[in-house]
Coordinates of all heavy atoms in Angstrom, one line a residue:
M1 N -2.5 18.9 9.8 CA -2.6 20.3 10.0 C -3.5 20.9 8.8 O -3.0 20.8 7.6 CB -1.4 21.0 10.1 CG -1.4 22.6 10.1 SD 0.2 23.3 10.3 CE 0.3 24.1 8.7
S2 N -4.6 21.4 9.0 CA -5.5 22.0 8.0 C -5.2 23.4 7.8 O -5.4 24.2 8.6 CB -6.9 21.7 8.3 OG -7.7 22.2 7.3
A3 N -4.6 23.8 6.5 CA -4.2 25.1 6.3 C -5.4 25.9 5.6 O -5.6 27.1 5.8 CB -3.1 25.2 5.3
I4 N -6.2 25.1 4.8 CA -7.5 25.7 4.2 C -8.7 25.2 4.9 O -9.0 24.0 4.9 CB -7.5 25.3 2.8 CG1 -6.2 25.8 2.0 CG2 -8.7 25.9 2.0 CD1 -5.9 27.2 1.8
T5 N -9.5 26.1 5.3 CA -10.8 25.7 6.1 C -11.9 25.8 5.1 O -11.9 26.5 4.1 CB -11.0 26.5 7.4 OG1 -11.2 27.8 7.0 CG2 -9.8 26.4 8.3
R6 N -13.0 25.3 5.5 CA -14.3 25.5 4.7 C -14.7 26.9 4.7 O -15.1 27.4 3.6 CB -15.5 24.6 5.4 CG -16.7 24.7 4.7 CD -17.9 24.8 5.7 NE -19.0 25.4 5.1 CZ -19.3 26.6 4.9 NH1 -18.5 27.6 5.2 NH2 -20.4 27.0 4.3
E7 N -14.5 27.7 5.8 CA -14.8 29.1 5.7 C -13.8 29.8 4.8 O -14.2 30.8 4.2 CB -14.6 29.6 7.2 CG -15.6 29.2 8.1 CD -15.5 27.7 8.6 OE1 -14.4 27.3 8.6 OE2 -16.5 27.2 8.9
D8 N -12.6 29.5 4.7 CA -11.6 30.1 3.7 C -12.2 29.9 2.3 O -12.2 30.8 1.5 CB -10.2 29.6 3.8 CG -9.6 29.8 5.1 OD1 -9.9 30.9 5.7 OD2 -8.6 29.0 5.6
V9 N -12.6 28.7 2.0 CA -13.1 28.4 0.6 C -14.4 29.2 0.4 O -14.6 29.7 -0.7 CB -13.4 26.9 0.5 CG1 -13.9 26.5 -0.8 CG2 -12.1 26.1 0.7
A10 N -15.2 29.3 1.4 CA -16.5 30.0 1.2 C -16.2 31.5 1.0 O -16.8 32.2 0.1 CB -17.4 29.9 2.5
H11 N -15.3 32.1 1.6 CA -14.8 33.5 1.5 C -14.3 33.7 0.1 O -14.6 34.6 -0.7 CB -13.8 33.9 2.5 CG -13.4 35.3 2.4 ND1 -14.0 36.3 2.6 CD2 -12.1 35.6 2.0 CE1 -13.3 37.5 2.4 NE2 -12.1 37.0 2.0
L12 N -13.4 32.7 -0.4 CA -12.9 32.9 -1.7 C -13.9 32.7 -2.8 O -14.0 33.4 -3.7 CB -11.8 31.9 -2.0 CG -10.5 32.1 -1.1 CD1 -9.6 30.9 -1.3 CD2 -9.8 33.4 -1.6
A13 N -14.9 31.8 -2.6 CA -16.0 31.6 -3.5 C -16.9 32.9 -3.6 O -17.3 33.3 -4.7 CB -16.9 30.5 -3.1
R14 N -17.1 33.6 -2.4 CA -17.9 34.8 -2.5 C -17.1 35.9 -3.3 O -17.8 36.6 -4.1 CB -18.2 35.3 -1.0 CG -19.4 34.6 -0.5 CD -19.8 35.3 0.8 NE -18.8 35.4 1.9 CZ -18.4 34.5 2.8 NH1 -19.0 33.4 2.7 NH2 -17.5 34.7 3.6
L15 N -15.9 35.9 -3.1 CA -15.0 37.0 -3.7 C -15.0 36.8 -5.2 O -15.0 37.7 -6.0 CB -13.6 36.9 -3.3 CG -13.4 37.5 -1.8 CD1 -11.9 37.3 -1.4 CD2 -13.7 39.0 -1.7
A16 N -15.0 35.5 -5.6 CA -15.0 35.1 -7.1 C -16.4 35.0 -7.6 O -16.5 34.7 -8.8 CB -14.2 33.9 -7.2
H17 N -17.4 35.3 -6.9 CA -18.9 35.2 -7.3 C -19.0 33.8 -7.8 O -19.7 33.6 -8.9 CB -19.1 36.2 -8.4 CG -18.9 37.6 -7.8 ND1 -19.8 38.2 -7.1 CD2 -18.0 38.5 -8.1 CE1 -19.5 39.4 -6.8 NE2 -18.4 39.7 -7.4
I18 N -18.6 32.7 -7.1 CA -18.9 31.3 -7.4 C -19.9 30.8 -6.4 O -19.6 30.9 -5.2 CB -17.6 30.5 -7.4 CG1 -16.6 31.0 -8.5 CG2 -17.8 29.1 -7.7 CD1 -15.2 30.4 -8.4
R19 N -20.9 30.2 -6.8 CA -21.9 29.6 -5.9 C -21.5 28.2 -5.7 O -21.3 27.4 -6.6 CB -23.3 29.7 -6.6 CG -24.4 29.5 -5.7 CD -25.7 29.8 -6.3 NE -25.8 31.2 -6.8 CZ -26.4 31.5 -8.0 NH1 -27.1 30.8 -8.6 NH2 -26.4 32.8 -8.3
M20 N -21.3 27.8 -4.4 CA -20.9 26.5 -4.0 C -21.9 26.0 -2.8 O -22.1 26.8 -1.9 CB -19.5 26.5 -3.6 CG -18.5 26.8 -4.6 SD -16.7 26.8 -4.1 CE -16.4 25.1 -4.2
D21 N -22.3 24.8 -2.9 CA -23.0 24.2 -1.9 C -22.2 23.6 -0.7 O -20.9 23.7 -1.0 CB -24.0 23.1 -2.4 CG -23.4 22.0 -3.0 OD1 -22.2 21.6 -2.6 OD2 -24.0 21.3 -3.8
E22 N -22.7 23.3 0.3 CA -21.9 22.8 1.5 C -21.0 21.6 1.1 O -19.8 21.6 1.5 CB -22.8 22.4 2.7 CG -23.5 23.5 3.4 CD -22.6 24.5 3.9 OE1 -21.6 24.2 4.5 OE2 -22.9 25.7 3.7
N23 N -21.5 20.7 0.3 CA -20.6 19.5 -0.1 C -19.4 20.0 -0.9 O -18.2 19.5 -0.8 CB -21.4 18.5 -0.9 CG -22.4 17.8 0.0 OD1 -22.3 17.7 1.1 ND2 -23.4 17.2 -0.6
E24 N -19.7 20.9 -1.9 CA -18.7 21.4 -2.7 C -17.6 22.2 -1.8 O -16.3 22.1 -2.0 CB -19.2 22.3 -3.8 CG -20.0 21.6 -4.8 CD -20.6 22.5 -5.8 OE1 -21.1 23.6 -5.4 OE2 -20.7 22.2 -7.0
L25 N -18.0 22.9 -0.9 CA -17.1 23.7 0.0 C -16.3 22.7 0.8 O -15.0 22.9 0.9 CB -17.9 24.6 1.0 CG -18.6 25.8 0.3 CD1 -19.5 26.5 1.4 CD2 -17.6 26.8 -0.3
A26 N -16.8 21.7 1.3 CA -16.0 20.7 2.1 C -15.0 20.0 1.3 O -13.8 19.8 1.5 CB -17.0 19.8 2.8
T27 N -15.5 19.6 0.0 CA -14.6 18.8 -0.9 C -13.5 19.7 -1.3 O -12.3 19.3 -1.4 CB -15.4 18.4 -2.1 OG1 -16.5 17.5 -1.6 CG2 -14.6 17.7 -3.1
M28 N -13.8 21.0 -1.7 CA -12.7 21.8 -2.2 C -11.7 22.2 -1.0 O -10.6 22.4 -1.3 CB -13.4 23.2 -2.8 CG -12.4 24.1 -3.3 SD -11.6 23.5 -4.8 CE -12.9 23.4 -6.0
A29 N -12.2 22.3 0.1 CA -11.3 22.7 1.3 C -10.3 21.4 1.4 O -9.1 21.7 1.7 CB -12.1 22.8 2.6
G30 N -10.8 20.2 1.3 CA -9.9 19.1 1.4 C -9.0 19.0 0.3 O -7.7 18.7 0.4
E31 N -9.4 19.3 -1.0 CA -8.5 19.2 -2.1 C -7.4 20.3 -2.0 O -6.3 20.1 -2.3 CB -9.4 19.3 -3.4 CG -10.2 18.1 -3.7 CD -11.1 18.3 -4.8 OE1 -11.2 19.5 -5.5 OE2 -11.8 17.3 -5.2
L32 N -7.9 21.5 -1.7 CA -6.9 22.6 -1.5 C -5.9 22.3 -0.4 O -4.7 22.7 -0.5 CB -7.5 23.9 -1.2 CG -8.3 24.4 -2.5 CD1 -9.1 25.7 -2.1 CD2 -7.4 24.8 -3.6
D33 N -6.3 21.7 0.6 CA -5.4 21.3 1.8 C -4.3 20.3 1.3 O -3.1 20.5 1.7 CB -6.2 20.8 2.9 CG -5.4 20.7 4.3 OD1 -4.7 21.7 4.5 OD2 -5.5 19.7 5.0
V34 N -4.8 19.3 0.5 CA -3.7 18.4 -0.1 C -2.8 19.1 -1.0 O -1.6 18.8 -0.9 CB -4.6 17.2 -0.9 CG1 -3.6 16.5 -1.7 CG2 -5.4 16.4 0.0
I35 N -3.2 20.1 -1.8 CA -2.3 20.8 -2.6 C -1.4 21.6 -1.8 O -0.2 21.7 -2.1 CB -3.1 21.8 -3.6 CG1 -3.9 20.9 -4.5 CG2 -2.2 22.7 -4.2 CD1 -5.0 21.6 -5.5
M36 N -1.8 22.3 -0.7 CA -1.0 23.1 0.1 C 0.1 22.2 0.9 O 1.3 22.6 0.9 CB -1.7 23.8 1.1 CG -2.7 24.8 0.6 SD -1.9 26.3 -0.3 CE -1.1 27.0 1.1
D37 N -0.4 21.0 1.2 CA 0.6 20.0 1.8 C 1.7 19.6 0.9 O 2.9 19.5 1.2 CB -0.1 18.8 2.3 CG -0.9 19.1 3.6 OD1 -0.6 20.2 4.2 OD2 -1.8 18.3 3.9
A38 N 1.3 19.4 -0.4 CA 2.3 19.0 -1.5 C 3.3 20.2 -1.7 O 4.5 20.0 -1.8 CB 1.5 18.6 -2.7
I39 N 2.7 21.4 -1.7 CA 3.6 22.6 -1.9 C 4.6 22.7 -0.7 O 5.8 22.9 -0.9 CB 2.8 23.8 -2.1 CG1 2.1 23.8 -3.4 CG2 3.7 25.1 -2.0 CD1 1.1 24.9 -3.6
A40 N 4.2 22.4 0.5 CA 5.0 22.6 1.6 C 6.1 21.5 1.6 O 7.2 21.8 1.9 CB 4.2 22.4 2.9
S41 N 5.8 20.2 1.2 CA 6.8 19.2 1.1 C 7.8 19.5 0.1 O 9.0 19.2 0.2 CB 6.2 17.8 0.9 OG 5.6 17.8 -0.4
V42 N 7.5 20.1 -1.1 CA 8.5 20.5 -2.0 C 9.3 21.6 -1.5 O 10.5 21.6 -1.7 CB 7.7 20.9 -3.3 CG1 8.7 21.5 -4.3 CG2 7.1 19.8 -4.0
S43 N 8.7 22.5 -0.8 CA 9.4 23.7 -0.2 C 10.5 23.1 0.8 O 11.6 23.8 0.9 CB 8.5 24.7 0.4 OG 7.7 25.2 -0.4
E44 N 10.2 22.1 1.4 CA 11.1 21.6 2.5 C 12.3 21.0 1.8 O 13.4 21.1 2.3 CB 10.4 20.6 3.3 CG 9.4 21.2 4.4 CD 8.5 20.1 5.0 OE1 8.9 18.9 4.8 OE2 7.6 20.4 5.8
A45 N 12.0 20.3 0.7 CA 13.2 19.6 -0.1 C 14.1 20.6 -0.7 O 15.3 20.3 -0.7 CB 12.6 18.7 -1.1
A46 N 13.7 21.7 -1.1 CA 14.6 22.7 -1.8 C 15.2 23.5 -0.7 O 14.6 24.4 -0.1 CB 13.8 23.5 -2.7
G47 N 16.6 23.4 -0.6 CA 17.3 24.3 0.3 C 17.7 25.7 -0.3 O 17.4 25.9 -1.4
Q48 N 18.4 26.5 0.5 CA 18.9 27.7 0.0 C 19.8 27.5 -1.1 O 20.0 28.5 -2.0 CB 19.5 28.5 1.1 CG 18.5 28.9 2.2 CD 17.4 29.8 1.8 OE1 17.6 30.7 0.9 NE2 16.2 29.7 2.4
D49 N 20.5 26.4 -1.1 CA 21.5 26.3 -2.3 C 21.0 25.8 -3.5 O 21.7 25.7 -4.6 CB 22.6 25.3 -1.7 CG 22.1 24.0 -1.4 OD1 20.9 23.9 -1.0 OD2 22.7 23.0 -1.5
V50 N 19.7 25.6 -3.6 CA 19.1 25.0 -4.8 C 18.4 26.3 -5.5 O 17.4 26.8 -5.0 CB 18.0 23.9 -4.5 CG1 17.2 23.4 -5.9 CG2 18.7 22.8 -3.9
P51 N 18.8 26.6 -6.7 CA 18.1 27.8 -7.5 C 16.8 27.3 -7.9 O 16.6 26.1 -8.4 CB 19.1 28.0 -8.5 CG 19.9 26.8 -8.8 CD 19.9 26.1 -7.5
P52 N 15.8 28.3 -7.9 CA 14.6 28.0 -8.5 C 14.6 27.8 -9.9 O 15.3 28.6 -10.6 CB 13.6 29.2 -8.1 CG 14.6 30.2 -7.7 CD 15.9 29.6 -7.3
T53 N 13.9 26.8 -10.5 CA 13.9 26.7 -12.0 C 12.6 26.2 -12.5 O 11.7 25.8 -11.7 CB 14.9 25.4 -12.3 OG1 14.3 24.2 -11.7 CG2 16.3 25.7 -12.0
S54 N 12.3 26.5 -13.7 CA 11.0 26.1 -14.3 C 11.2 24.7 -15.1 O 10.1 24.1 -15.3 CB 10.5 27.2 -15.2 OG 11.4 27.4 -16.3
H55 N 12.3 24.4 -15.5 CA 12.6 23.1 -16.2 C 13.8 22.5 -15.5 O 14.8 23.2 -15.2 CB 12.8 23.3 -17.5 CG 11.7 24.0 -18.3 ND1 10.6 23.3 -18.6 CD2 11.4 25.2 -18.6 CE1 9.6 24.1 -19.3 NE2 10.2 25.3 -19.3
P56 N 13.8 21.1 -15.5 CA 15.0 20.4 -14.9 C 16.2 20.4 -15.8 O 17.4 20.3 -15.3 CB 14.4 19.0 -14.7 CG 13.3 18.8 -15.6 CD 12.7 20.2 -15.8
I57 N 16.0 20.7 -17.1 CA 17.2 20.7 -17.9 C 17.2 22.1 -18.7 O 16.1 22.6 -19.0 CB 17.3 19.5 -19.0 CG1 15.9 19.5 -19.7 CG2 17.5 18.2 -18.2 CD1 15.9 18.4 -21.0
P58 N 18.3 22.6 -19.1 CA 18.2 23.8 -19.9 C 17.5 23.7 -21.2 O 17.6 22.7 -21.8 CB 19.7 24.1 -20.2 CG 20.5 23.2 -19.2 CD 19.6 22.1 -18.9
L59 N 16.7 24.8 -21.6 CA 16.0 24.8 -22.9 C 16.9 25.4 -23.9 O 17.7 26.4 -23.6 CB 14.7 25.4 -22.7 CG 13.7 24.9 -21.8 CD1 12.4 25.7 -21.7 CD2 13.4 23.5 -22.2
R60 N 16.7 24.9 -25.1 CA 17.4 25.7 -26.2 C 16.4 25.6 -27.4 O 15.6 24.7 -27.6 CB 18.7 24.9 -26.5 CG 18.7 23.6 -27.0 CD 20.1 23.0 -27.3 NE 20.0 21.7 -27.9 CZ 19.8 21.4 -29.1 NH1 19.7 22.3 -30.0 NH2 19.7 20.2 -29.5
N61 N 16.6 26.5 -28.3 CA 15.9 26.6 -29.5 C 16.3 25.5 -30.5 O 17.4 25.5 -30.8 CB 15.9 28.0 -30.1 CG 15.0 28.2 -31.2 OD1 14.3 27.2 -31.7 ND2 14.8 29.4 -31.7
V62 N 15.3 24.6 -31.0 CA 15.7 23.6 -31.8 C 15.3 24.0 -33.3 O 15.4 23.1 -34.1 CB 15.1 22.2 -31.4 CG1 15.6 21.8 -30.1 CG2 13.6 22.4 -31.4
F63 N 14.8 25.1 -33.6 CA 14.5 25.4 -34.9 C 15.7 25.8 -35.7 O 16.6 26.4 -35.3 CB 13.4 26.6 -35.0 CG 12.2 26.2 -34.2 CD1 11.9 27.0 -33.0 CD2 11.4 25.4 -34.6 CE1 10.7 26.7 -32.2 CE2 10.2 25.1 -34.0 CZ 9.9 25.7 -32.8
R64 N 15.6 25.4 -37.0 CA 16.7 25.9 -37.9 C 16.5 27.3 -38.3 O 15.5 27.9 -38.1 CB 16.6 25.1 -39.2 CG 15.3 25.2 -40.1 CD 15.5 24.5 -41.4 NE 14.2 24.4 -42.0 CZ 13.6 25.3 -42.6 NH1 14.2 26.6 -42.6 NH2 12.5 25.1 -43.2
E65 N 17.5 28.0 -38.9 CA 17.4 29.3 -39.3 C 16.4 29.4 -40.5 O 16.5 28.5 -41.3 CB 18.8 29.9 -39.7 CG 18.8 31.3 -39.9 CD 20.3 31.8 -40.3 OE1 21.2 31.1 -39.9 OE2 20.3 32.8 -41.0
D66 N 15.7 30.3 -40.4 CA 14.6 30.6 -41.5 C 15.2 31.2 -42.6 O 15.6 32.5 -42.8 CB 13.5 31.5 -41.0 CG 12.3 31.5 -42.0 OD1 12.3 30.7 -42.9 OD2 11.4 32.4 -41.7
V67 N 15.6 30.5 -43.6 CA 16.2 30.8 -45.0 C 15.3 30.5 -46.1 O 15.1 29.3 -46.3 CB 17.6 30.2 -45.2 CG1 18.3 30.6 -46.5 CG2 18.5 30.4 -44.0
P68 N 14.9 31.5 -46.8 CA 13.9 31.2 -47.9 C 14.7 30.4 -49.0 O 15.8 30.7 -49.4 CB 13.4 32.5 -48.5 CG 14.3 33.5 -47.9 CD 14.9 32.9 -46.7
S69 N 14.0 29.4 -49.6 CA 14.6 28.7 -50.8 C 13.5 28.0 -51.5 O 12.4 27.7 -51.0 CB 15.6 27.5 -50.2 OG 14.9 26.6 -49.4
G70 N 13.7 27.7 -52.9 CA 12.8 27.0 -53.6 C 11.5 27.8 -53.8 O 10.4 27.0 -53.7
M71 N 11.5 29.0 -54.0 CA 10.2 29.7 -54.2 C 9.6 29.6 -55.5 O 10.4 29.4 -56.5 CB 10.5 31.2 -53.9 CG 10.9 31.6 -52.4 SD 11.0 33.3 -52.0 CE 12.6 33.7 -52.7
L72 N 8.3 29.6 -55.6 CA 7.6 29.5 -56.9 C 7.4 30.9 -57.5 O 7.2 31.9 -56.7 CB 6.2 28.8 -56.7 CG 6.2 27.6 -56.1 CD1 4.7 27.0 -55.8 CD2 6.9 26.5 -57.1
T73 N 7.3 31.0 -58.8 CA 6.9 32.2 -59.4 C 5.4 32.4 -59.2 O 4.7 31.4 -59.0 CB 7.3 32.3 -60.8 OG1 6.6 31.2 -61.6 CG2 8.8 32.1 -61.0
Q74 N 4.9 33.5 -59.6 CA 3.5 33.8 -59.5 C 2.7 32.8 -60.5 O 1.7 32.1 -60.2 CB 3.0 35.2 -59.8 CG 1.6 35.5 -59.8 CD 1.2 36.9 -60.1 OE1 2.0 37.6 -60.7 NE2 0.1 37.4 -59.6
E75 N 3.3 32.6 -61.7 CA 2.7 31.7 -62.7 C 2.7 30.3 -62.1 O 1.8 29.6 -62.4 CB 3.4 31.8 -64.1 CG 3.3 33.3 -64.7 CD 4.2 34.3 -64.1 OE1 5.2 33.9 -63.5 OE2 3.8 35.5 -64.2
Q76 N 3.8 29.8 -61.6 CA 3.8 28.5 -61.1 C 2.9 28.2 -60.0 O 2.2 27.1 -60.0 CB 5.3 28.2 -60.5 CG 6.4 28.1 -61.7 CD 7.8 28.0 -61.0 OE1 8.0 28.5 -60.1 NE2 8.7 27.2 -61.7
A77 N 2.7 29.1 -59.1 CA 1.8 29.0 -58.0 C 0.3 28.9 -58.5 O -0.5 28.2 -57.9 CB 1.9 30.1 -57.0
L78 N 0.0 29.7 -59.5 CA -1.4 29.7 -60.0 C -1.6 28.7 -61.1 O -2.8 28.5 -61.5 CB -1.7 31.1 -60.6 CG -1.7 32.3 -59.5 CD1 -1.8 33.6 -60.3 CD2 -2.8 32.1 -58.6
A79 N -0.6 27.9 -61.6 CA -0.8 27.0 -62.7 C -1.8 25.9 -62.3 O -2.6 25.5 -63.2 CB 0.6 26.4 -62.9
M80 N -1.9 25.4 -61.1 CA -2.7 24.3 -60.7 C -3.9 24.8 -59.8 O -4.6 24.0 -59.3 CB -1.9 23.3 -60.0 CG -0.9 22.5 -60.9 SD -1.6 21.7 -62.3 CE -2.4 20.4 -61.4
A81 N -4.0 26.1 -59.7 CA -5.3 26.6 -59.0 C -6.5 26.3 -59.7 O -6.6 26.4 -60.9 CB -5.0 28.1 -58.8
P82 N -7.5 26.0 -58.9 CA -8.9 25.7 -59.6 C -9.5 27.0 -60.2 O -10.2 26.9 -61.2 CB -9.8 25.3 -58.4 CG -9.0 25.4 -57.1 CD -7.6 25.8 -57.5
D83 N -9.1 28.1 -59.7 CA -9.6 29.4 -60.3 C -8.6 30.5 -60.0 O -8.2 30.7 -58.8 CB -11.0 29.7 -59.8 CG -11.8 30.7 -60.7 OD1 -11.2 31.0 -61.8 OD2 -12.9 31.1 -60.5
A84 N -8.3 31.4 -60.9 CA -7.5 32.6 -60.7 C -8.0 33.7 -61.5 O -8.6 33.4 -62.6 CB -6.0 32.1 -61.0
E85 N -7.6 34.9 -61.0 CA -8.0 36.0 -61.7 C -7.2 37.2 -61.4 O -6.7 37.3 -60.3 CB -9.5 36.4 -61.3 CG -10.2 37.6 -62.0 CD -11.5 37.9 -61.6 OE1 -12.4 37.1 -61.9 OE2 -11.8 39.0 -61.0
D86 N -6.8 37.8 -62.4 CA -5.8 39.0 -62.3 C -4.5 38.6 -61.4 O -4.0 39.4 -60.5 CB -6.4 40.2 -61.5 CG -7.6 40.8 -62.3 OD1 -7.5 40.8 -63.6 OD2 -8.6 41.3 -61.6
G87 N -4.0 37.5 -61.6 CA -2.8 37.0 -60.9 C -2.9 36.7 -59.5 O -2.1 36.6 -58.7
Q88 N -4.2 36.4 -59.1 CA -4.5 36.0 -57.7 C -5.4 34.8 -57.7 O -6.1 34.4 -58.6 CB -5.2 37.2 -57.0 CG -4.3 38.5 -56.9 CD -5.2 39.5 -56.3 OE1 -6.4 39.4 -55.9 NE2 -4.6 40.7 -56.2
F89 N -5.3 34.1 -56.6 CA -6.3 32.9 -56.3 C -7.7 33.5 -56.3 O -7.9 34.5 -55.6 CB -6.0 32.2 -55.1 CG -4.6 31.4 -55.1 CD1 -3.5 31.9 -54.5 CD2 -4.5 30.2 -55.8 CE1 -2.2 31.3 -54.5 CE2 -3.3 29.5 -55.9 CZ -2.1 30.0 -55.2
K90 N -8.7 32.9 -56.9 CA -10.0 33.3 -56.8 C -10.7 32.2 -55.9 O -10.7 31.1 -56.2 CB -10.6 33.4 -58.1 CG -12.0 34.0 -58.2 CD -12.6 34.2 -59.5 CE -13.9 34.8 -59.5 NZ -14.5 35.0 -60.8
V91 N -11.4 32.7 -54.9 CA -12.1 31.9 -54.0 C -13.6 32.3 -53.9 O -13.9 33.5 -54.2 CB -11.5 31.8 -52.5 CG1 -10.0 31.3 -52.7 CG2 -11.5 33.3 -51.9
P92 N -14.5 31.5 -53.5 CA -15.9 31.8 -53.3 C -16.0 32.9 -52.3 O -15.4 32.8 -51.2 CB -16.6 30.6 -53.0 CG -15.6 29.5 -53.2 CD -14.2 30.0 -53.2
A93 N -16.9 33.8 -52.4 CA -17.3 34.8 -51.5 C -17.9 34.2 -50.2 O -18.7 33.3 -50.5 CB -18.1 35.9 -52.0
I94 N -17.6 34.5 -49.1 CA -18.3 34.0 -47.9 C -19.1 35.1 -47.1 O -19.9 34.7 -46.3 CB -17.3 33.3 -46.9 CG1 -16.2 34.3 -46.5 CG2 -16.7 32.1 -47.5 CD1 -15.3 33.8 -45.4
L95 N -18.9 36.3 -47.5 CA -19.7 37.4 -46.8 C -20.4 38.1 -47.8 O -20.0 38.4 -48.9 CB -18.7 38.4 -46.2 CG -17.7 37.8 -45.0 CD1 -16.8 38.9 -44.6 CD2 -18.5 37.2 -43.8
D96 N -21.7 38.5 -47.5 CA -22.5 39.3 -48.4 C -22.2 40.6 -48.4 O -22.2 41.4 -47.4 CB -24.0 39.1 -48.0 CG -24.6 37.7 -48.3 OD1 -24.0 37.1 -49.2 OD2 -25.6 37.3 -47.6
G97 N -21.8 41.1 -49.7 CA -21.5 42.6 -49.9 C -20.4 43.2 -49.0 O -20.4 44.4 -49.1
E98 N -19.6 42.5 -48.4 CA -18.6 43.1 -47.5 C -17.3 42.8 -48.2 O -16.9 41.8 -48.7 CB -18.6 42.5 -46.2 CG -19.8 43.0 -45.4 CD -19.7 42.6 -43.9 OE1 -18.6 42.5 -43.3 OE2 -20.7 42.3 -43.4

């Protein structure tokens, strides 16, 4: 059973302002039909008792709590800098006059 026809693809291409030749329209109709069949088979497998999910297992945050530690002083941070001025890192200018 073909759910997506060549005419459907041509109509969608016109709406999206996509230029497609006859071969592309026929190929896309076949590809979209395969996708629609796959969606239909998944829909048949899931009954009313199966809740929709985005992941098969529950997700949880695996990041540790953000606790600052081991901070450098300004002098320590600038000690090995190639160039510093007025307590800040000095870098080459990349914009003219801005």
Side-chain angles (χ1 to χ4, degrees):
M1 173 180 114
S2 180
I4 304 291
T5 65
R6 184 221 157 275
E7 289 74 26
D8 293 333
V9 176
H11 177 70
L12 292 172
R14 276 192 304 279
L15 291 175
H17 300 283
I18 298 173
R19 198 171 300 146
M20 298 178 82
D21 62 29
E22 291 301 317
N23 290 336
E24 291 172 323
L25 290 171
T27 301
M28 185 63 67
E31 290 174 357
L32 289 173
D33 196 45
V34 169
I35 292 170
M36 295 298 290
D37 288 342
I39 292 170
S41 67
V42 170
S43 297
E44 291 171 6
Q48 295 295 329
D49 58 331
V50 178
T53 59
S54 61
H55 297 282
I57 56 175
L59 297 179
R60 65 180 181 87
N61 190 350
V62 295
F63 299 115
R64 64 172 167 74
E65 187 176 335
D66 189 13
V67 179
S69 65
M71 293 187 277
L72 299 175
T73 64
Q74 183 180 23
E75 293 79 25
Q76 291 171 323
L78 295 173
M80 296 297 289
D83 200 3
E85 185 178 292
D86 297 328
Q88 300 175 0
F89 294 102
K90 188 173 179 183
V91 296
I94 59 171
L95 301 174
D96 287 333
E98 291 185 33

